[in-house]
Amino acid sequence: MEGQDEQTTGARAADGSHADIYGEDGAILSSFLAAIGAAIADRDTLTLKREVDDLHQSELGDLLEALHPEQRRALVELLGADFDFSALTEVDEAIRRDIVDSLPNAQIAQGVQDLDSDDAVYILEDLEKEDQDEILSQLPFTERIRLRRSLDYPEETAGRRMQTEFVAVPPFWTIGQTIDYMREDNNLPDRFSQIFVIDPSFKLLGAIDLDQILRTKRSIKVEEVMHETRHAIPATMDQEEAAREFEQYDLLSAAVVDENDRLVGVLTIDDVVDVIQQEAEEDLLRMGGVGDEELSDSILSTSRSRVPWLLVNLLTAFLAASVIGLFDRTIEHIVALAVLMPIVAGMGGNAGSQTMTVTVRALATKDLDIYNAGRIIRREMGVGSINGIIFAILIGLVAAAWFRDPNLGGIIAAAMIINMFVAALAGILIPLLLDRFKIDPAVASAVFVTTVTDVVGFFAFLGLATWWFGVR
Amino acid sequence: MEGQDEQTTGARAADGSHADIYGEDGAILSSFLAAIGAAIADRDTLTLKREVDDLHQSELGDLLEALHPEQRRALVELLGADFDFSALTEVDEAIRRDIVDSLPNAQIAQGVQDLDSDDAVYILEDLEKEDQDEILSQLPFTERIRLRRSLDYPEETAGRRMQTEFVAVPPFWTIGQTIDYMREDNNLPDRFSQIFVIDPSFKLLGAIDLDQILRTKRSIKVEEVMHETRHAIPATMDQEEAAREFEQYDLLSAAVVDENDRLVGVLTIDDVVDVIQQEAEEDLLRMGGVGDEELSDSILSTSRSRVPWLLVNLLTAFLAASVIGLFDRTIEHIVALAVLMPIVAGMGGNAGSQTMTVTVRALATKDLDIYNAGRIIRREMGVGSINGIIFAILIGLVAAAWFRDPNLGGIIAAAMIINMFVAALAGILIPLLLDRFKIDPAVASAVFVTTVTDVVGFFAFLGLATWWFGVR
């Protein structure tokens, strides 16, 4: 029966060493949360330490996010030196700032010292310059130099994301020597999947994967089995580009080198996974007209970050309205036009969004390039024409029946074909053009595409009606 | 000067073993493409083999995607047994099908035999049942059993994505024995980052990371240093859930176990990265009203896949139109209403989309749960109110000035406040409700949210105007 129980509770149950703090729905169990809350209220440090001791950094992070702000700060304060700072890399930026701001710089200096350099940098990079300097000044010399080097690289580069702890050996060592060195050295990184081969000036010569070391005889020299430094990543490379290298070549880790080809750090797949998630999220949010907001942001900062997008949309909405205004006398005569016109504009907008979504995504993943752009443009024009005809017939018939006017049906059908075709063209050409001019298509495409489909939709429908019914 | 050159051409230049086939923009160099095209036209097998021999599977995949369909099939045919089937895991589904369909089953059987089981399954799973069976029947017994086992697990599960090649040792072996075994065995997987510990019935006991093996003395027993099987993944677990385990616990690989807790395979981070990309892409495409389409799909299949979404939108467009129809007499009297009404509906739609995008993303990443739902709902209501008031004032002033009618300005301002508030509520409550009812919020939210903002926008604006101006 015990085996059965283990099975049904899934992945985490097989693990003896972790507390099972999540419910069926993936949220933290409310019983666990209540216990932690009670211990915080009682300032029961002993219980708290026991409860969070087993937690993985990401589980502690989830716990912090589930607590109220006062509870969070109290928990970190009560845990004192036992608080695992790596949990701060797993929470929203606003929560991280809130906790870090509540701590004295001395405690932060103590806390980041135990972390891998990439995690330490992740926490320090958000701080004010003065706090950063004060904390760095309290660190041992080598630590300070390492963190400073990472922080000196621009944001969102490989240099900023790299870990400065790595294992490097000279090329003339044997595999046996290398293994013995690793058995003896207590300063190895927590986890690593390859070791690097360097010359005395730290210039990168090559790398060996750990599985390669394990299948090689002890007497063989490192330089005989190392592979030359495939995919060494310049420290100034954009993190998104570095992530694409990892994806394309299925890397687990990669050497990061400075402008003189010297090994300065290692980029690992777990950081890259975070970058991939973040970039995918950015594209999705931008297409939805949202900037870099997080769930923990306040009402005012959220409101402020969304206003610019709405403002741009307002301008285009007035543009569309002024197109309608051109035909006010026609609408006065045939009020059915006012009833039907949002259909023409709206359907064009939806068709345009479909094409635009595919285009923006293909541009982001580099699947769309000069070799297939022509073919994809032709395909979208084809799809726009076919769907335009299908929906023209549908809408034309319904409109004719609704207002008992076959002329109206014909006019809306013609307007639909025009707008769906223009929508397809706008949906692909606008992102392509923005990309060519180095503007992020995810940010700006939607507003341009819907402007085009609104303006063309209203103009085609009302214009055709004005001409056909001969108003004015 | 040589060092300088290497630096400027970036990551791939440091790599002696790979051809540099990409240009500055990340697309395949047209000179390389032309050389391949010429060799294909001349049926110059020797040149072709030399040119593609150095390519990584993903580079060969990119090359296949850049070629014309006839060239693609010719290239695979000309390379014969030298064609690396793993490249097929790197191309669009339509291209993979096209190539595989053009090959005799015997050649496919030969080709997949050289692959890791996960890559072989990836290619075989798309085939017709009969072709699958015929190919499997031509494989050696153990290969066949392994692939069959993966294929028997449902699509998009860990069992389908796992690799069945792994290293497993008994708990009583020493680290020294383990290393010696790996040095001797030629049947090791191509790459691995941990080895597993099992009992005679293959029941999973634990795992050891390779770096742990390398820092442990030869005389130590495996069971003393293994960690218990943290994060063993049931073979039937959804691949997306498995990917979240990897992300949360920064795993490089994880054991996959069957319903009796026996080790059946290993899931690796490179497959998980693909899953993460794919899931992020799915959400983005679905929110844009696009299904599982790929760039290589034909016009007709693209058109067909987009029609259902447009059809749903058409129904809601008619719903919105019928709301306008209720107020046709008011519009006849005050044609300015027809000019201004799309602004109210459109701004509500945009504000609703912003909230919805954030909500859908937070649900997908499990950042939104019962602990913060209440707070987020209140935040969105706050943002909706503030932005509603800001834009009500703006639009009210412009409308009043444009039509020289302060009443009209007041009415549109009131309608804006109502619609922006409703948009915020709809933007968060609709995805939450859909999620509660196990409907993917990414697919269905947009249509419901815009329906609400259209209907409420038109009704509030035209209804207020009808009541204020006392028409009818």
Side-chain angles (χ1 to χ4, degrees), chain A residues 194-195 197 205-209 212 222-231, chain B residues 17:
Chain A
Q194 62 178 348
I195 64 172
V197 186
L205 301 174
I208 318 181
D209 293 329
Q212 184 61 45
V222 160
E223 59 193 342
E224 293 175 57
V225 289
M226 77 180 190
H227 48 80
E228 283 181 35
T229 52
R230 283 200 315 241
H231 320 300
Chain B
S17 72

Side-chain angles (χ1 to χ4, degrees), chain A residues 7 11-12 14 18 22 28-30 33 56 58-59 62 179 182-184 188-192 210-211 214-218 229-230 232 237 245 247-250 252 259 261 269-270 273 276-277 280-281 284 288-290 293-295 297 299 302-303 306-307 309-311 313-314 318 321 324 328 331-332 335 338-339 341-343 347 350 354-355 357-358 361-362 367 371 375-376 379-380 382-383 386-387 391 394-395 398 402, chain B residues 7 11-12 14 18 22 28-30 33 56 58-59 62 179 182-183 188-192 210-211 214-218 230 232 237 245 247-250 252 259 261 269-270 273 276-277 280-281 284 288-290 293-297 299 302-303 306-307 309-311 313-314 318 321 324 328 331-332 335 338-339 341-343 347 350-351 354-355 357-358 361-362 367 371 375-376 379-380 382-383 386-387 391 394-395 398 402:
Chain A
Q7 204 51 45
R12 270 182 215 88
H18 282 62
Y22 298 98
I28 291 188
L29 287 170
S30 50
L33 214 52
H56 184 268
S58 65
E59 294 168 335
D62 283 347
I179 294 181
M182 286 191 274
R183 287 214 182 104
E184 244 91 282
L188 294 182
D190 284 349
R191 292 169 62 191
F192 55 101
L210 295 193
D211 57 348
L214 286 170
R215 33 180 136 202
T216 306
K217 302 227 180 302
R218 283 181 66 91
T229 52
R230 283 200 315 241
M237 184 187 266
E245 287 285 307
E247 270 186 276
Q248 171 150 27
Y249 299 105
D250 292 341
L252 293 180
E259 64 283 6
D261 235 6
I269 181 77
D270 54 316
V273 167
I276 292 174
Q277 277 285 27
E281 177 156 329
L284 186 104
V290 191
E293 70 173 61
E294 304 201 44
L295 276 190
D297 288 351
I299 290 185
T302 307
S303 161
R306 291 191 195 165
V307 162
W309 173 253
L310 291 174
L311 209 54
N313 273 286
L314 180 62
F318 271 112
I324 303 174
D328 53 353
I331 294 173
E332 222 167 335
V335 110
V339 175
M341 67 185 186
I343 298 178
M347 291 298 290
N350 285 317
Q354 289 181 324
T355 304
T357 304
V358 174
R361 181 63 191 171
D367 283 336
Y371 297 112
R375 197 178 63 73
I376 305 295
R379 183 188 79 159
E380 290 301 333
V383 172
I386 292 177
N387 288 359
F391 285 94
L394 260 175
I395 296 172
V398 175
W402 186 358
Chain B
Q7 205 52 43
R12 270 183 214 86
H18 283 61
Y22 299 97
I28 290 188
L29 287 170
S30 50
L33 215 51
H56 184 269
S58 65
E59 294 167 337
D62 283 347
I179 295 182
M182 286 191 274
R183 287 214 183 105
L188 294 181
D190 284 349
R191 294 169 60 191
F192 56 100
L210 295 193
D211 58 348
L214 286 170
R215 38 181 132 198
T216 306
K217 302 231 181 300
R218 282 181 69 86
R230 284 199 314 241
M237 184 187 265
E245 287 285 307
E247 269 185 278
Q248 171 150 28
Y249 298 105
D250 292 341
L252 293 180
E259 64 281 6
D261 237 5
I269 181 79
D270 54 317
V273 167
I276 292 173
Q277 277 285 26
E281 175 156 331
L284 186 103
V290 192
E293 71 172 61
E294 304 201 43
L295 275 191
S296 53
D297 288 351
I299 291 185
T302 308
S303 161
R306 290 189 196 166
V307 162
W309 173 253
L310 292 174
L311 209 54
N313 273 287
L314 180 62
F318 271 112
I324 302 174
D328 52 354
I331 294 173
E332 222 167 335
V335 109
V339 175
M341 67 186 184
I343 298 178
M347 290 299 290
N350 285 318
Q354 289 181 325
T355 305
T357 303
V358 174
R361 182 63 191 170
D367 283 337
Y371 298 111
R375 195 178 63 73
I376 305 295
R379 182 188 79 160
E380 290 301 332
V383 172
I386 293 175
N387 288 0
F391 285 94
L394 261 175
I395 295 172
V398 175
W402 186 357

Side-chain angles (χ1 to χ4, degrees), chain A residues 83-149:
Chain A
F83 173 67
D84 178 2
F85 268 65
S86 60
L88 291 180
T89 64
E90 310 270 353
V91 299
D92 267 9
E93 190 183 331
I95 294 176
R96 181 165 55 250
R97 275 172 185 269
D98 179 51
I99 293 175
V100 170
D101 287 347
S102 76
L103 294 175
N105 282 341
Q107 191 179 342
I108 300 175
Q110 194 58 48
V112 297
Q113 225 169 304
D114 302 331
L115 301 184
D116 284 339
S117 68
D118 52 343
D119 287 344
V121 166
Y122 195 81
I123 293 171
L124 293 178
E125 67 182 353
D126 288 340
L127 297 179
E128 304 289 330
K129 190 82 183 68
E130 303 90 77
D131 288 327
Q132 233 180 49
D133 289 338
E134 194 186 323
I135 292 168
L136 284 174
S137 73
Q138 297 180 28
L139 295 178
F141 177 74
T142 50
E143 273 287 284
R144 182 162 73 235
I145 298 297
R146 287 175 158 198
L147 296 184
R148 172 60 68 206
R149 181 155 59 183

Side-chain angles (χ1 to χ4, degrees), chain B residues 7 9 43 72 79 137 157 176 222 262 309 369 374 445 451:
Chain B
Q7 205 52 43
T9 46
R43 303 189 70 80
R72 250 176 236 150
L79 289 176
S137 72
T157 58
V222 161
R262 280 185 310 226
W309 173 253
D369 53 38
S445 293
T451 304

Side-chain angles (χ1 to χ4, degrees), chain B residues 134-200:
Chain B
E134 195 186 321
I135 292 167
L136 285 174
S137 72
Q138 298 179 26
L139 295 177
F141 177 75
T142 48
E143 273 287 286
R144 183 162 73 236
I145 297 297
R146 288 175 157 197
L147 297 184
R148 172 60 69 203
R149 181 157 58 185
S150 275
L151 286 166
D152 280 348
Y153 286 111
E155 270 185 64
E156 310 214 327
T157 58
R160 207 35 113 68
R161 288 279 79 81
M162 71 186 177
Q163 188 177 320
T164 52
E165 295 89 2
F166 50 76
V167 183
V169 298
F172 50 81
W173 276 20
T174 62
I175 292 294
Q177 266 178 299
T178 306
I179 295 182
D180 293 342
Y181 161 74
M182 286 191 274
R183 287 214 183 105
E184 243 92 284
D185 189 350
N186 292 320
N187 280 323
L188 294 181
D190 284 349
R191 294 169 60 191
F192 56 100
S193 56
Q194 62 178 347
I195 64 172
F196 300 102
V197 187
I198 52 172
D199 76 4

